[in-house]
Amino acid sequence: MNHKDVQPPILLILSGPSGVGKDAVLSRMRDLGEPYHFTVTATTRTQRNGETDGKDYIFVSQAEFKAQMEQDGFLEWAEVYGNYYGVPRDQVKTALQRGKDVIVKIDVQGAKTIKKLAPNALYIFLAPPNMEQLEKRLTARMTESSGSLKIRLETATKEMKSATWFDHVVINHENQLDLAVAEIQYAVKIARLNQIKTSNPDLI
Ligand code: 5GP
């Protein structure tokens, strides 16, 4: 029997420090044809090389962001490293109402905010194997000025300490993306078996 016949959908919140590899994990899950709605966050940050509007982020102006914010259009929004990010409420709500599992990629402060709205979502913290690896990844990405790199590393150190309240911590080891994805799939499987991690779209 298809689990969707008997169980409400799962809302999976994927969090972790900047540079840990959340996008790589999500991209791999997409390639594998995982049947989630992959929520696309709206942001005022400048588009990076290689990013696609509407797929990686919905790139909007400050005015557009503010208008959507005032219409209560975001499930959660925050200023992160000087830019605004918001999770479009209708995307999440509509997908859950249709019985589709949903993934939201978000920073740790955002995950905490969503926890208040959706305590039964499945919270997964993606962690680097160590801080040196994280610094290496952020440096290799070369999108951060050295000031911003320093801030991201300091924030990451604080975020690592708050990993304890998540349902699962998944380490994203170097060159082991499939292992991280498998651990996430396993966590979802356990959540389904336990039938406690279901999200009511009416509360979203
Ligand atoms: P980046 O600009 O490097 O893609 O993302 C910077 C940080 O913003 C990352 O830690 C990412 O998880 C976080 N982020 C992305 N989307 C959202 C969102 O909708 N809400 C919040 N609070 N953070 C987000």
Side-chain angles (χ1 to χ4, degrees):
M1 197 185 333
N2 186 332
H3 68 79
K4 299 228 167 63
D5 296 338
V6 290
Q7 255 190 289
I10 281 181
L11 173 61
L12 196 167
I13 309 294
L14 182 66
S15 192
S18 174
V20 74
K22 298 186 287 286
D23 289 307
V25 163
L26 290 180
S27 169
R28 186 82 186 109
M29 288 177 82
R30 267 204 201 98
D31 291 347
L32 289 170
E34 290 275 321
Y36 289 92
H37 171 77
F38 293 88
T39 308
V40 187
T41 299
T43 183
T44 58
R45 121 155 128 59
T46 314
Q47 194 169 342
R48 291 181 189 138
N49 274 343
E51 285 182 332
T52 309
D53 189 16
K55 180 170 171 269
D56 298 297
Y57 282 105
I58 301 167
F59 295 97
V60 295
S61 66
Q62 297 261 358
E64 285 167 329
F65 193 94
K66 193 162 171 261
Q68 198 166 342
M69 204 173 86
E70 283 167 359
Q71 288 161 17
D72 204 20
F74 295 123
L75 187 58
E76 179 272 350
W77 68 267
E79 189 183 349
V80 188
Y81 307 118
N83 297 303
Y84 288 94
Y85 296 83
V87 179
R89 187 186 296 277
D90 58 345
Q91 268 189 52
V92 177
K93 201 176 171 91
T94 307
L96 288 175
Q97 277 168 341
R98 289 184 182 152
K100 208 166 167 71
D101 297 325
V102 174
I103 296 194
V104 172
K105 175 197 83 166
I106 199 159
D107 78 337
V108 176
Q109 57 164 327
K112 241 179 224 163
T113 306
I114 294 202
K115 178 98 172 155
K116 291 185 201 123
L117 283 173
N120 290 337
L122 176 63
Y123 292 84
I124 297 188
F125 186 92
L126 193 66
N130 52 56
M131 294 312 281
E132 290 72 32
Q133 276 287 333
L134 188 70
E135 181 166 3
K136 210 173 112 192
R137 285 181 205 173
L138 280 170
T139 310
R141 200 158 81 178
M142 296 274 285
T143 50
E144 326 307 339
S145 67
S146 59
S148 152
L149 177 67
K150 190 164 171 273
I151 293 169
R152 284 182 192 231
L153 283 169
E154 282 166 5
T155 306
T157 306
K158 286 186 207 133
E159 288 173 340
M160 295 294 283
K161 291 189 183 126
S162 77
T164 49
W165 66 263
F166 283 79
D167 297 307
H168 294 272
V169 175
V170 171
I171 313 262
N172 191 16
H173 292 281
E174 204 168 8
N175 304 320
Q176 297 286 342
L177 200 55
D178 285 335
L179 185 63
V181 169
E183 284 191 40
I184 292 170
Q185 288 166 331
Y186 188 60
V188 171
K189 210 174 242 179
I190 295 171
R192 278 201 210 294
L193 285 174
N194 286 334
Q195 301 206 1
I196 49 167
K197 291 291 175 185
T198 54
S199 290
N200 181 353
D202 297 336
L203 299 178
I204 300 293

